[in-house]
mmCIF file of all heavy atoms in Angstrom:
data_model
loop_
_atom_site.group_PDB
_atom_site.id
_atom_site.type_symbol
_atom_site.label_atom_id
_atom_site.label_comp_id
_atom_site.label_asym_id
_atom_site.label_seq_id
_atom_site.Cartn_x
_atom_site.Cartn_y
_atom_site.Cartn_z
ATOM 1 N N ALA A 425 43.057 -22.020 204.305
ATOM 2 C CA ALA A 425 42.012 -21.026 204.547
ATOM 3 C C ALA A 425 41.900 -20.179 203.295
ATOM 4 O O ALA A 425 42.913 -19.758 202.722
ATOM 5 C CB ALA A 425 42.366 -20.151 205.743
ATOM 6 N N ARG A 436 45.439 -10.461 209.061
ATOM 7 C CA ARG A 436 45.938 -11.290 210.155
ATOM 8 C C ARG A 436 44.976 -12.467 210.339
ATOM 9 O O ARG A 436 43.762 -12.274 210.400
ATOM 10 C CB ARG A 436 46.056 -10.480 211.435
ATOM 11 C CG ARG A 436 47.190 -9.478 211.414
ATOM 12 C CD ARG A 436 47.115 -8.521 212.570
ATOM 13 N NE ARG A 436 45.990 -7.601 212.408
ATOM 14 C CZ ARG A 436 45.668 -6.652 213.278
ATOM 15 N NH1 ARG A 436 46.347 -6.512 214.385
ATOM 16 N NH2 ARG A 436 44.657 -5.853 213.048
ATOM 17 N N LEU A 437 45.532 -13.651 210.432
ATOM 18 C CA LEU A 437 44.730 -14.860 210.595
ATOM 19 C C LEU A 437 45.159 -15.562 211.872
ATOM 20 O O LEU A 437 46.325 -15.922 212.035
ATOM 21 C CB LEU A 437 44.919 -15.783 209.390
ATOM 22 C CG LEU A 437 44.037 -17.032 209.340
ATOM 23 C CD1 LEU A 437 42.563 -16.656 209.226
ATOM 24 C CD2 LEU A 437 44.435 -17.921 208.160
ATOM 25 N N LEU A 438 44.197 -15.740 212.792
ATOM 26 C CA LEU A 438 44.465 -16.377 214.077
ATOM 27 C C LEU A 438 43.604 -17.616 214.228
ATOM 28 O O LEU A 438 42.492 -17.700 213.695
ATOM 29 C CB LEU A 438 44.147 -15.407 215.231
ATOM 30 C CG LEU A 438 44.908 -14.083 215.263
ATOM 31 C CD1 LEU A 438 44.388 -13.207 216.391
ATOM 32 C CD2 LEU A 438 46.394 -14.328 215.427
ATOM 33 N N SER A 439 44.128 -18.565 214.989
ATOM 34 C CA SER A 439 43.384 -19.778 215.312
ATOM 35 C C SER A 439 43.174 -19.839 216.825
ATOM 36 O O SER A 439 44.096 -19.569 217.597
ATOM 37 C CB SER A 439 44.162 -21.020 214.851
ATOM 38 O OG SER A 439 43.576 -22.206 215.359
ATOM 39 N N TYR A 440 41.940 -20.195 217.240
ATOM 40 C CA TYR A 440 41.608 -20.333 218.656
ATOM 41 C C TYR A 440 41.016 -21.716 218.898
ATOM 42 O O TYR A 440 40.235 -22.229 218.088
ATOM 43 C CB TYR A 440 40.565 -19.294 219.081
ATOM 44 C CG TYR A 440 41.039 -17.870 219.005
ATOM 45 C CD1 TYR A 440 40.735 -17.081 217.894
ATOM 46 C CD2 TYR A 440 41.781 -17.297 220.028
ATOM 47 C CE1 TYR A 440 41.161 -15.767 217.815
ATOM 48 C CE2 TYR A 440 42.217 -15.980 219.953
ATOM 49 C CZ TYR A 440 41.894 -15.222 218.845
ATOM 50 O OH TYR A 440 42.315 -13.918 218.767
ATOM 51 N N HIS A 451 46.955 -19.232 218.168
ATOM 52 C CA HIS A 451 48.094 -19.356 217.259
ATOM 53 C C HIS A 451 47.924 -18.350 216.128
ATOM 54 O O HIS A 451 46.857 -18.267 215.515
ATOM 55 C CB HIS A 451 48.192 -20.771 216.673
ATOM 56 C CG HIS A 451 48.400 -21.838 217.702
ATOM 57 N ND1 HIS A 451 49.571 -21.962 218.418
ATOM 58 C CD2 HIS A 451 47.573 -22.823 218.141
ATOM 59 C CE1 HIS A 451 49.453 -22.994 219.255
ATOM 60 N NE2 HIS A 451 48.254 -23.521 219.107
ATOM 61 N N GLU A 452 48.967 -17.595 215.871
ATOM 62 C CA GLU A 452 48.971 -16.685 214.731
ATOM 63 C C GLU A 452 49.425 -17.454 213.506
ATOM 64 O O GLU A 452 50.543 -17.967 213.449
ATOM 65 C CB GLU A 452 49.895 -15.494 214.989
ATOM 66 C CG GLU A 452 49.834 -14.449 213.884
ATOM 67 C CD GLU A 452 50.679 -13.235 214.201
ATOM 68 O OE1 GLU A 452 51.884 -13.272 213.870
ATOM 69 O OE2 GLU A 452 50.146 -12.273 214.795
ATOM 70 N N LEU A 453 48.561 -17.537 212.502
ATOM 71 C CA LEU A 453 48.834 -18.344 211.319
ATOM 72 C C LEU A 453 49.344 -17.531 210.144
ATOM 73 O O LEU A 453 50.057 -18.058 209.279
ATOM 74 C CB LEU A 453 47.558 -19.082 210.907
ATOM 75 C CG LEU A 453 46.933 -19.973 211.995
ATOM 76 C CD1 LEU A 453 45.605 -20.521 211.528
ATOM 77 C CD2 LEU A 453 47.884 -21.107 212.359
ATOM 78 N N PHE A 454 48.963 -16.247 210.105
ATOM 79 C CA PHE A 454 49.397 -15.409 208.980
ATOM 80 C C PHE A 454 49.289 -13.948 209.380
ATOM 81 O O PHE A 454 48.353 -13.553 210.076
ATOM 82 C CB PHE A 454 48.521 -15.668 207.743
ATOM 83 C CG PHE A 454 48.901 -14.826 206.546
ATOM 84 C CD1 PHE A 454 49.950 -15.191 205.719
ATOM 85 C CD2 PHE A 454 48.204 -13.657 206.257
ATOM 86 C CE1 PHE A 454 50.312 -14.408 204.625
ATOM 87 C CE2 PHE A 454 48.550 -12.873 205.168
ATOM 88 C CZ PHE A 454 49.608 -13.250 204.347
ATOM 89 N N ASP A 455 50.250 -13.145 208.941
ATOM 90 C CA ASP A 455 50.207 -11.698 209.134
ATOM 91 C C ASP A 455 50.999 -11.073 207.999
ATOM 92 O O ASP A 455 52.234 -11.123 207.978
ATOM 93 C CB ASP A 455 50.802 -11.304 210.494
ATOM 94 C CG ASP A 455 50.647 -9.821 210.801
ATOM 95 O OD1 ASP A 455 50.281 -9.057 209.895
ATOM 96 O OD2 ASP A 455 50.877 -9.437 211.963
ATOM 97 N N ILE A 465 45.606 -19.578 202.127
ATOM 98 C CA ILE A 465 46.662 -19.520 203.130
ATOM 99 C C ILE A 465 46.799 -20.893 203.767
ATOM 100 O O ILE A 465 45.834 -21.403 204.359
ATOM 101 C CB ILE A 465 46.330 -18.472 204.209
ATOM 102 C CG1 ILE A 465 46.193 -17.085 203.562
ATOM 103 C CG2 ILE A 465 47.396 -18.457 205.295
ATOM 104 C CD1 ILE A 465 45.704 -16.029 204.517
ATOM 105 N N PRO A 466 47.955 -21.535 203.661
ATOM 106 C CA PRO A 466 48.130 -22.865 204.273
ATOM 107 C C PRO A 466 48.009 -22.779 205.797
ATOM 108 O O PRO A 466 48.497 -21.835 206.430
ATOM 109 C CB PRO A 466 49.548 -23.271 203.845
ATOM 110 C CG PRO A 466 49.870 -22.394 202.691
ATOM 111 C CD PRO A 466 49.148 -21.109 202.923
ATOM 112 N N LEU A 467 47.355 -23.774 206.373
ATOM 113 C CA LEU A 467 47.209 -23.863 207.817
ATOM 114 C C LEU A 467 48.144 -24.945 208.348
ATOM 115 O O LEU A 467 48.316 -25.990 207.724
ATOM 116 C CB LEU A 467 45.762 -24.207 208.187
ATOM 117 C CG LEU A 467 44.695 -23.256 207.637
ATOM 118 C CD1 LEU A 467 43.305 -23.755 208.009
ATOM 119 C CD2 LEU A 467 44.906 -21.851 208.177
ATOM 120 N N ASP A 468 48.729 -24.692 209.504
ATOM 121 C CA ASP A 468 49.610 -25.714 210.061
ATOM 122 C C ASP A 468 48.793 -26.723 210.870
ATOM 123 O O ASP A 468 47.590 -26.587 211.062
ATOM 124 C CB ASP A 468 50.728 -25.090 210.899
ATOM 125 C CG ASP A 468 50.200 -24.342 212.108
ATOM 126 O OD1 ASP A 468 49.144 -24.727 212.642
ATOM 127 O OD2 ASP A 468 50.850 -23.374 212.525
ATOM 128 N N GLY A 469 49.448 -27.757 211.358
ATOM 129 C CA GLY A 469 48.758 -28.847 212.033
ATOM 130 C C GLY A 469 48.097 -28.473 213.337
ATOM 131 O O GLY A 469 47.264 -29.215 213.849
ATOM 132 N N ARG A 470 48.426 -27.298 213.900
ATOM 133 C CA ARG A 470 47.857 -26.929 215.191
ATOM 134 C C ARG A 470 46.357 -26.684 215.118
ATOM 135 O O ARG A 470 45.656 -26.784 216.104
ATOM 136 C CB ARG A 470 48.567 -25.678 215.723
ATOM 137 C CG ARG A 470 50.000 -25.920 216.126
ATOM 138 C CD ARG A 470 50.705 -24.640 216.486
ATOM 139 N NE ARG A 470 50.908 -23.782 215.327
ATOM 140 C CZ ARG A 470 51.577 -22.650 215.346
ATOM 141 N NH1 ARG A 470 52.121 -22.223 216.481
ATOM 142 N NH2 ARG A 470 51.726 -21.924 214.256
ATOM 143 N N THR A 471 45.834 -26.359 213.932
ATOM 144 C CA THR A 471 44.402 -26.110 213.817
ATOM 145 C C THR A 471 43.588 -27.388 213.824
ATOM 146 O O THR A 471 42.374 -27.349 213.897
ATOM 147 C CB THR A 471 44.100 -25.336 212.524
ATOM 148 O OG1 THR A 471 44.491 -26.138 211.399
ATOM 149 C CG2 THR A 471 44.837 -24.012 212.495
ATOM 150 N N PHE A 477 38.837 -22.611 215.694
ATOM 151 C CA PHE A 477 38.124 -21.584 214.946
ATOM 152 C C PHE A 477 39.123 -20.569 214.426
ATOM 153 O O PHE A 477 40.098 -20.236 215.103
ATOM 154 C CB PHE A 477 37.090 -20.899 215.841
ATOM 155 C CG PHE A 477 36.114 -21.851 216.469
ATOM 156 C CD1 PHE A 477 36.406 -22.429 217.700
ATOM 157 C CD2 PHE A 477 34.931 -22.185 215.837
ATOM 158 C CE1 PHE A 477 35.525 -23.318 218.290
ATOM 159 C CE2 PHE A 477 34.048 -23.074 216.424
ATOM 160 C CZ PHE A 477 34.330 -23.646 217.645
ATOM 161 N N LEU A 478 38.866 -20.083 213.219
ATOM 162 C CA LEU A 478 39.744 -19.102 212.608
ATOM 163 C C LEU A 478 39.102 -17.720 212.666
ATOM 164 O O LEU A 478 37.897 -17.571 212.459
ATOM 165 C CB LEU A 478 40.022 -19.458 211.149
ATOM 166 C CG LEU A 478 40.732 -20.797 210.885
ATOM 167 C CD1 LEU A 478 40.996 -20.942 209.395
ATOM 168 C CD2 LEU A 478 42.016 -20.892 211.678
ATOM 169 N N VAL A 479 39.919 -16.722 212.929
ATOM 170 C CA VAL A 479 39.487 -15.325 212.897
ATOM 171 C C VAL A 479 40.415 -14.582 211.954
ATOM 172 O O VAL A 479 41.640 -14.570 212.150
ATOM 173 C CB VAL A 479 39.522 -14.683 214.294
ATOM 174 C CG1 VAL A 479 39.218 -13.187 214.203
ATOM 175 C CG2 VAL A 479 38.531 -15.366 215.226
#
Side-chain angles (χ1 to χ4, degrees):
R436 289 169 290 179
L437 186 64
L438 301 175
S439 170
Y440 295 97
H451 299 291
E452 185 176 87
L453 303 174
F454 179 82
D455 186 349
I465 300 173
L467 304 177
D468 63 30
R470 291 173 291 185
T471 62
F477 304 89
L478 298 183
V479 174

